[in-house]
């Protein structure tokens, strides 16, 4: 491969983003690689052959300051010195005034004029004292283009060190290139370097060697950039002193003309303060205990500047990914199970920031949060037509670790949010974008959408940095995240905001935040000791997504007296499969050695749950949602994020909708909204939904994954008023549904497994949502038209804390009341389980008013027979009307 066509990994190009990028936590990005990027041949050749004239070589653009006439100390007094930070020391931008390119320097994330700054490379070391400001060339001669083996050279490393030591320098191009320019092929040239020695910009490492990208030794080299592209390299200098780089940029217009900029100067100050004539203490740095002179020239460590004695995790050639540096002790927090968001914010000056925020509004900067992914999150990868997007993680049957799209109570749950962004200033065509801008770790990582109906779609891929997610409105979303190997990972996320063009203001800005992931119990014990014991994470679970608890499967409350203790044997036996029908089915029960289960009316003390329900109007809030369905459906909620959930405001319990469409979320009455599911929500019914629609016929879907043009309705138990006033999960019940077709709400199956668990199937169906949880499910409507769904939310008040609900106070006071109940007993006195309909009909016929708490405390539905010892079967007394009095 010709050296002149080499390029380091480019992060954020518009069309051609290559592999692996590296990142900082606070500011910019990129990488170090031998991968090359080739321009389209015809265009690249034309630019490569553009003449270099003496006239353009002689002209230099600056502010009128004669830098050559100033001493280093004078220059340092006039300009901002950049070190211990991210710097793009050659940033190609568009000068609208000159209608041509210009070369700037990015300070952190802010482009600045090149004549206003100095890039500073001074003595520096890691916290353990190992020098990172100079290198010793290896004896292997693999870096001979830099000098002889054993040479000591000043070097600003391409590798990122926490704190951006000594300076983390790259090159890149802005997003402001006009449309008449072919912005995929921007040629950056180093015309010359003025200084005491040679200067080389190169990529590679001590083990494998490297190649020069730009060098004062070879003026024929150039570097190809794409709009938004960005790369980090090693910047190496033979001697200490002042170095002035003369850069220029060129590109073709769409009609074939070449646009070439004037040369721009970028000045580096290299060496100690004393060597540069600066006042002592002008430049800070960590003390050096192991200088470059002491490095082993035969080292094989691929991390530039580290010798073979350092404790470096082994990375296989198969993955070829740099290992994550361990987090700094005392500087990070291990995330507890619960909800977190990586949130983008934009200041009044169009500056972008990114921070992880938990539900108590605590924020975490770059490298401050570590997310444990325990072995209980391990899943078996099953590849099929729905999960084929996960094939990069491994072969069928491989083990992967999954943080699911739906919140799991025992896992941290990281989402992404632009809810705080004021979109009135955002370019509506470009929006705000999320990238995975750097990745360190032992394996591969994917984030993906999995709605259980459509094939899984990859959102971000650690090997494909061109992937991004676009936010065109204030949005809050979650994706599934999967890792294919245990170990420590460092994921560098980047938000880029594109603004509406305004004269005098920049039209894009970006910010970064690095988050650690400790995957596997062994890694968690290493970095978060005690976490597994504290949060009771056991062996790997069998299913990928958390399953809401259906009311029929909830445990019965503990009986309060001997007479009501019917639960233990019935509960154990109710899970025994029903025996298949036999030829003796029509014989009398006595001849089939069966005992009859008969309903019996008893009176017993109320359970705590029943007591609260009796005193508090059942602690239930209700609301009716309206859905207009069809290709021409209309409504005032046709797009954006919403959540249905209980709220406690002013001591009152209500069921409201959280409307996230504005910059400030609002809890509003459901009656004020009409959800419109138009053509964007229509899709052909897949086989998995054959219960409500024939395969291929149209259905309308609110997916668990946010879709443009479709309202994204979730369920929520996170209202601040619930804290302290309630305890435990919220039970949602579909009390009534009206409409022209069928309705189904379900959660997505594991790893593209279709329907996971049906939640709302008909009136009376219910499920529970854990406390402080926000989850999205799938809502399906089989026919066009208007639907109304009346939904209730039941909460459990905190005992001893009064809560004025719809019918009064829920504090348990006074003597525990007695309630009526109907239980099953055999003629021999054994407890048995009655079907729900048998119990209800008996109660109605005999005038028994049952205590109601919204859960079937005494009823287990779905099994007609209860196995008994001795090989017999227990049957209900529904056939013997003279005994039971049933109609």
């Amino acid at each position: 491969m010709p050296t002149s066509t080499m390029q380091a990994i480019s992060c954020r190009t518009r069309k051609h983003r290559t592999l692996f990028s590296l990142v900082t936590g606070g500011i910019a990005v990129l990488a170090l690689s031998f991968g090359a990027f080739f321009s389209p041949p015809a265009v690249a050749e034309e630019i490569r052959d553009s003449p270099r004239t003496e006239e353009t070589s002689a002209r230099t653009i600056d502010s009128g300051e004669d830098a050559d006439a100033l001493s280093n100390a004078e220059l340092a007094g006039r300009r901002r010195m950049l070190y211990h930070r991210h710097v793009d020391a050659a940033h190609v931008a568009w000068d609208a005034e000159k209608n041509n390119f210009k070369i700037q320097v990015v300070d952190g994330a802010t482009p600045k004029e090149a004549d206003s700054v100095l890039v500073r490379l001074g003595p520096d070391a890691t916290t353990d004292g190992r020098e990172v400001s100079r290198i010793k060339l290896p004896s292997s001669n693999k870096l001979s283009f830099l000098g002889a083996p054993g040479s000591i050279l000043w070097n600003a490393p391409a590798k990122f060190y926490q704190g951006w030591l000594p300076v983390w320098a790259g090159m890149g191009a802005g997003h402001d290139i006009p449309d008449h320019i072919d912005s995929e092929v921007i040629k950056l040239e180093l015309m010359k370097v003025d200084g005491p020695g040679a200067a080389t910009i190169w990529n590679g490492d001590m083990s494998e060697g490297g190649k020069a990208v730009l060098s004062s030794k070879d003026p024929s080299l150039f570097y190809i950039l794409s709009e938004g592209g960005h790369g980090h390299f090693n910047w190496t200098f033979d001697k200490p002193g002042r170095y002035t780089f003369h850069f220029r940029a060129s590109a073709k217009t769409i009609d074939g003309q070449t646009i070439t900029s004037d040369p721009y100067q970028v000045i580096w100050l290299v060496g100690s303060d004393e060597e540069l004539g600066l006042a002592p203490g002008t430049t800070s740095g960590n003390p050096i205990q192991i200088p470059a002179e002491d490095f082993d020239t035969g080292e094989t460590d691929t991390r530039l500047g580290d010798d073979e004695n350092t404790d470096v995790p082994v990375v296989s050639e198969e993955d070829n990914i740099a290992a994550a540096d361990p987090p700094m002790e005392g500087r990070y927090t291990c995330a507890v199970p619960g909800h977190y968001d990586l949130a983008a914010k934009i200041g009044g000056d169009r500056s972008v920031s990114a921070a992880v925020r938990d539900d108590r509004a605590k924020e975490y900067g770059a490298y401050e949060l570590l997310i444990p992914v325990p072995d209980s999150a391990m899943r078996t990868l099953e590849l099929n037509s729905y999960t084929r997007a996960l094939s990069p993680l491994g072969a069928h049957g491989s083990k992967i670790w999954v943080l699911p799209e739906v919140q799991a109570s025992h896992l941290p749950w990281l989402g992404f949010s632009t809810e705080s962004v004021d979109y009135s200033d955002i370019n509506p065509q470009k929006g705000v974008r999320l990238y995975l801008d750097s990745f360190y770790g032992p394996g591969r990582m994917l984030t993906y959408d999995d709605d259980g109906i459509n094939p899984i779609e990859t959102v971000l891929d650690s090997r494909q940095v061109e992937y991004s997610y676009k936010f065109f409105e204030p949005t809050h979303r979650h994706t599934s995240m999967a890792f294919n190997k245990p170990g420590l990972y460092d994921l560098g996320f980047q938000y880029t905001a594109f603004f509406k063009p305004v004269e005098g203001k920049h039209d894009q800005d970006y910010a970064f935040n690095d988050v650690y992931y400790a995957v596997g119990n062994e890694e968690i014990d290493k970095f978060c000791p005690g976490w597994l014991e504290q949060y009771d994470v056991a062996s790997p679970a069998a299913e990928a997504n958390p399953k809401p608890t259906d009311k029929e499967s909830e445990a019965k409350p503990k009986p309060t007296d001997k007479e009501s203790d019917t639960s233990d044997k019935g509960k154990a036996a109710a899970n025994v499969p029903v025996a298949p029908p036999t030829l003796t089915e029509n014989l009398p029960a006595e001849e089939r050695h069966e005992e009859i289960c008969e309903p019996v009316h008893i009176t017993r003390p109320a359970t705590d749950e029943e007591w609260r329900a009796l005193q508090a109007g059942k602690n239930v809030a209700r609301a009716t949602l309206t859905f207009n369905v069809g290709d021409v459906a209309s409504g005032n909620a046709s797009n954006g994020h919403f959540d249905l959930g209980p709220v406690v405001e002013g001591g009152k319990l209500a069921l409201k909708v959280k409307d996230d469409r504005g910059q400030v979320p609002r809890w509003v009455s459901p009656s004020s909204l009409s959800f419109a599911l138009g053509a964007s929500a229509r899709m052909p019914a897949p086989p998995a939904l054959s219960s409500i629609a024939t395969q291929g016929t149209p259905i309308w879907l609110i997916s668990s994954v946010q879709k443009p043009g479709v309202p994204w309705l979730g369920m929520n138990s996170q209202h601040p008023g619930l804290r302290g006033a309630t305890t435990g999960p919220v039970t949602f019940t579909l009390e009534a549904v009206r409409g022209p077709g069928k309705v189904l709400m379900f959660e997505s199956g594991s790893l593209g497994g279709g329907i996971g668990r049906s939640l709302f199937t008909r009136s009376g169906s219910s499920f529970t949502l854990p406390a402080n949880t926000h989850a999205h499910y799938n809502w399906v409507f089989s026919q066009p038209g208007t639907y109304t769904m009346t939904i209730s939310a039941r909460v459990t008040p905190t005992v001893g804390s009064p809560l004025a609900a719809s019918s009064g106070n829920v504090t348990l006071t006074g003597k525990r009341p007695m309630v009526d109940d109907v239980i099953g007993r055999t003629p021999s006195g054994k407890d048995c389980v009655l079907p729900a309909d048998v119990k209800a009909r008996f109660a109605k016929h005999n005038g028994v008013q049952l205590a109601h708490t919204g859960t079937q405390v005494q009823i287990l539905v779905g099994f007609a027979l209860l196995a008994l010892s001795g090989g017999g079967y227990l049957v209900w007394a529904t056939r013997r009307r003279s005994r039971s009095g049933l109609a």
Side-chain angles (χ1 to χ4, degrees):
M1 175 186 309
T3 346
S4 57
T5 59
M6 284 199 61
Q7 156 170 319
I9 296 170
S10 172
C11 292
R12 301 183 299 283
T13 62
R14 195 166 56 187
K15 296 177 184 174
H16 302 290
R17 296 188 181 92
T18 55
L19 298 186
F20 322 151
S21 59
L22 247 94
V23 142
T24 108
I27 334 257
V29 227
L30 196 53
L32 183 49
S33 163
F34 289 106
F37 172 87
F38 289 93
S39 314
V43 178
E45 286 298 328
E46 291 179 27
I47 293 178
R48 187 177 299 125
D49 296 336
S50 60
R52 175 177 301 176
T53 65
E54 291 301 319
E55 180 183 0
T56 57
S57 297
R59 270 188 294 127
T60 296
I61 305 300
D62 59 35
S63 61
E65 171 189 72
D66 186 359
D68 291 339
L70 299 175
S71 68
N72 291 334
E74 290 171 326
L75 202 58
R78 297 187 180 197
R79 299 189 181 190
R80 173 174 167 80
M81 278 204 305
L82 307 180
Y83 65 97
H84 286 183
R85 61 193 300 103
H86 165 262
V87 173
D88 272 356
H91 178 79
V92 180
W94 186 254
D95 189 333
E97 194 173 304
K98 297 180 181 295
N99 197 32
N100 206 325
F101 294 109
K102 63 179 177 180
I103 308 296
Q104 296 179 302
V105 174
V106 173
D107 175 5
T110 305
K112 293 187 175 180
E113 300 308 318
D115 59 10
S116 68
V117 297
L118 299 170
V119 184
R120 180 74 174 94
L121 171 57
D124 217 336
T126 58
T127 53
D128 61 2
R130 183 178 181 82
E131 184 172 3
V132 293
S133 48
R134 295 183 304 159
I135 59 174
K136 186 176 183 180
L137 297 186
S139 57
S140 62
N141 213 34
K142 291 182 178 180
L143 296 180
S144 59
F145 65 93
L146 294 175
S151 297
I152 305 295
L153 304 177
W154 286 87
N155 184 72
K159 172 181 167 54
F160 170 72
Y161 291 93
Q162 290 192 28
W164 304 281
L165 306 176
V167 60
W168 196 42
M171 299 187 293
H175 290 275
D176 55 353
I177 312 302
D179 291 340
H180 73 280
I181 300 294
D182 181 3
S183 58
E184 294 301 315
V185 186
I186 303 171
K187 180 180 178 182
L188 179 66
E189 297 173 274
L190 179 58
M191 309 293 293
K192 65 175 182 176
V193 177
D194 299 325
T200 301
I201 305 168
W202 62 282
N203 58 14
D205 57 46
M206 289 292 189
S207 176
E208 300 296 330
K211 289 186 178 181
V213 176
L214 296 171
S215 176
S216 63
K217 300 177 183 179
D218 186 355
S220 68
L221 297 177
F222 61 89
Y223 175 57
I224 297 297
L225 283 163
S226 296
E227 181 181 10
H230 174 88
H232 279 265
F233 308 88
N234 300 286
W235 298 64
T236 301
F237 305 86
D238 285 357
K239 300 176 182 178
R242 182 198 298 190
Y243 290 79
T244 303
F245 290 75
H246 297 254
F247 292 106
R248 76 172 181 181
S250 60
K252 288 283 186 180
T253 63
I254 56 176
D255 60 2
Q257 301 298 312
T258 299
I259 299 290
T260 303
S261 77
D262 293 312
Y264 285 77
Q265 295 180 357
V266 177
I267 297 179
W268 283 67
L269 296 183
V270 177
S272 66
D273 288 345
E274 181 182 3
E275 291 169 319
L276 294 170
L278 303 178
T282 299
T283 311
S284 62
N286 294 324
I288 297 172
Q289 299 175 15
I290 308 174
E293 287 82 358
D294 294 344
F295 291 175
D296 178 2
T297 58
E299 59 191 347
T300 58
D301 189 349
T302 60
R303 301 193 309 171
L304 183 63
D306 288 349
D307 67 23
E308 61 188 358
N309 296 320
T310 48
D311 183 16
V312 181
V314 175
V315 181
S316 71
E317 187 174 345
E318 175 190 11
D319 289 308
N320 195 26
I321 300 172
D325 284 334
M328 297 178 67
E329 189 173 352
R331 296 283 298 275
Y332 68 95
T333 298
C334 293
V336 302
H339 182 219
Y340 299 81
D341 280 323
L342 177 60
K345 293 182 180 179
I346 298 178
D349 60 350
R350 290 187 163 185
S351 61
V352 177
S353 62
V356 178
R357 184 176 58 212
D358 64 23
D359 281 336
R360 298 189 181 277
K362 182 176 179 180
E363 293 192 347
Y364 304 86
Y367 301 104
E368 293 181 354
L369 188 69
L370 185 150
I371 295 180
V373 186
D375 287 340
S376 62
M378 190 188 301
R379 304 289 174 259
T380 299
L381 180 59
E382 297 182 3
L383 295 177
N384 52 48
S385 60
Y386 287 95
T387 63
R388 59 178 175 268
L390 301 183
S391 60
L393 295 174
H396 182 84
S398 300
K399 297 299 181 183
I400 60 176
W401 286 256
V402 178
L403 293 175
E405 192 168 311
V406 178
Q407 186 172 8
S409 60
H410 70 291
L411 297 173
W413 192 46
L414 180 68
F416 305 100
S417 172
T418 63
E419 294 168 299
S420 299
V421 172
D422 180 2
Y423 274 76
S424 63
D425 198 28
I426 297 296
N427 185 321
Q429 280 74 46
K430 294 186 175 181
V432 177
R433 301 185 186 183
L434 173 73
Y435 300 91
L436 178 63
D437 210 54
S438 71
F439 180 84
Y440 295 94
R444 192 162 182 174
M445 186 281 307
L446 299 178
T447 70
Y448 55 92
D449 285 333
D450 180 5
D451 63 9
I453 296 178
N454 299 293
I456 283 175
E457 294 183 3
T458 302
V459 177
L460 299 174
D461 183 345
S462 62
R463 297 285 189 87
Q464 304 290 339
V465 297
E466 72 271 20
Y467 286 16
S468 68
Y469 187 79
K470 301 176 180 65
F471 301 85
F472 293 103
E473 60 187 359
T475 303
H476 172 216
R477 66 159 304 175
H478 287 262
T479 63
S480 297
M481 177 179 286
F483 302 84
N484 68 350
K485 291 186 178 181
L488 180 68
Y489 293 79
D490 172 359
L491 275 60
F493 296 103
Q494 175 206 347
Y495 277 115
T496 297
F498 299 90
F499 300 102
K500 295 176 180 177
V502 175
E503 187 175 352
K505 293 186 177 182
H506 58 279
D507 62 1
Q508 61 94 18
D509 195 25
Y510 49 89
F512 304 85
N513 195 299
D514 278 54
V515 180
Y516 288 110
Y517 289 79
V519 177
N521 289 0
E522 183 177 345
E523 208 71 12
I524 294 172
D525 282 338
K526 185 185 304 181
F527 294 103
C528 303
W531 192 94
L532 294 169
E533 292 78 8
Q534 182 174 358
Y535 298 105
D536 195 28
V537 177
S539 58
E543 296 174 336
N545 291 329
K547 305 295 184 185
T549 304
D550 190 80
K551 68 180 183 180
E552 285 86 359
S553 65
E554 290 183 352
K556 297 181 183 180
K558 185 177 180 180
T560 54
D561 63 13
K562 184 176 181 179
E563 183 178 27
S564 64
D565 186 10
T566 66
S567 60
D568 291 343
K569 286 179 283 185
K571 192 188 304 179
N575 289 321
V576 177
V578 177
T582 68
L583 294 176
T584 61
E585 183 179 40
N586 295 320
L587 294 177
E590 292 79 2
E591 295 182 34
R592 286 184 276 125
H593 308 289
E594 296 174 348
E595 287 201 82
I596 297 172
C597 185
E598 299 179 321
V600 177
H601 173 208
I602 65 169
T603 301
R604 58 170 174 78
T607 65
D608 283 355
E609 186 179 7
E610 292 165 342
W611 193 1
R612 291 191 186 94
L614 291 169
Q615 294 196 31
K618 304 176 184 177
N619 308 315
V620 174
R622 293 177 176 83
T624 298
L625 303 180
T626 300
F627 299 87
N628 294 322
V629 177
D631 287 359
V632 295
S634 61
N636 61 356
S638 58
N639 197 21
H641 178 229
F642 306 86
D643 283 331
L644 177 68
V647 304
V648 176
E649 296 174 324
K652 297 289 185 179
L653 177 66
L655 186 58
K656 291 189 175 184
V657 171
K658 184 185 179 189
D659 185 346
D660 279 332
R661 290 176 295 179
Q663 189 172 0
V664 179
R666 299 179 304 129
W667 288 89
V668 302
S669 170
S671 63
S672 68
L673 298 173
S674 181
F675 294 97
L677 276 67
S680 298
R682 177 170 44 83
M683 65 172 289
L689 293 178
S690 59
S691 61
I692 69 167
T694 303
Q695 181 178 351
T697 60
I699 59 171
W700 286 261
L701 171 71
I702 297 177
S703 173
S704 62
V705 176
Q706 188 170 16
K707 304 291 184 183
V710 181
W712 196 36
L713 180 60
M715 311 299 277
N716 191 302
S717 61
Q718 295 179 320
H719 188 271
L722 297 178
R723 297 172 185 162
T726 66
T727 182
V730 175
T731 299
F732 289 97
T733 300
L734 178 61
E735 297 197 346
V737 58
R738 293 179 177 83
K742 296 180 179 179
V743 177
L744 173 66
M745 188 176 87
F746 66 94
E747 67 174 359
S748 301
S750 169
L751 298 179
I755 296 177
R757 184 178 180 85
S758 297
L759 305 176
F760 288 163
T761 57
R762 60 186 181 278
S763 297
S765 53
S766 70
F767 71 95
T768 63
L769 186 71
N772 195 32
T773 298
H774 163 223
H776 281 268
Y777 306 109
N778 302 277
W779 307 63
V780 182
F781 301 84
S782 67
Q783 297 291 333
T786 298
Y787 295 77
T788 60
M789 297 176 67
T790 299
I791 298 172
S792 67
R794 180 182 304 280
V795 301
T796 302
T798 304
V799 176
S801 298
L803 172 65
S806 55
S807 356
N809 192 294
V810 300
T811 306
L812 303 186
T813 59
K815 184 178 180 181
R816 185 181 297 270
M818 300 297 290
V819 296
D820 291 313
D821 198 4
V822 175
I823 65 171
R825 285 223 176 107
T826 67
S828 62
K830 296 179 180 178
D831 296 328
C832 56
V833 177
L834 290 173
D837 58 340
V838 174
K839 178 173 180 175
R841 290 203 303 273
F842 178 87
K844 180 179 179 181
H845 184 85
N846 292 279
V848 178
Q849 183 66 41
L850 298 177
H852 180 66
T853 65
T855 58
Q856 299 294 337
V857 178
Q858 298 285 330
I859 303 172
L860 295 174
V861 180
F863 293 97
L865 302 176
L866 181 63
L868 293 176
S869 60
Y873 294 95
L874 184 68
V875 299
W876 319 312
T878 52
R879 302 185 190 129
R880 302 188 60 185
R881 298 184 183 182
S882 60
R883 293 284 303 271
S884 66
L886 296 182

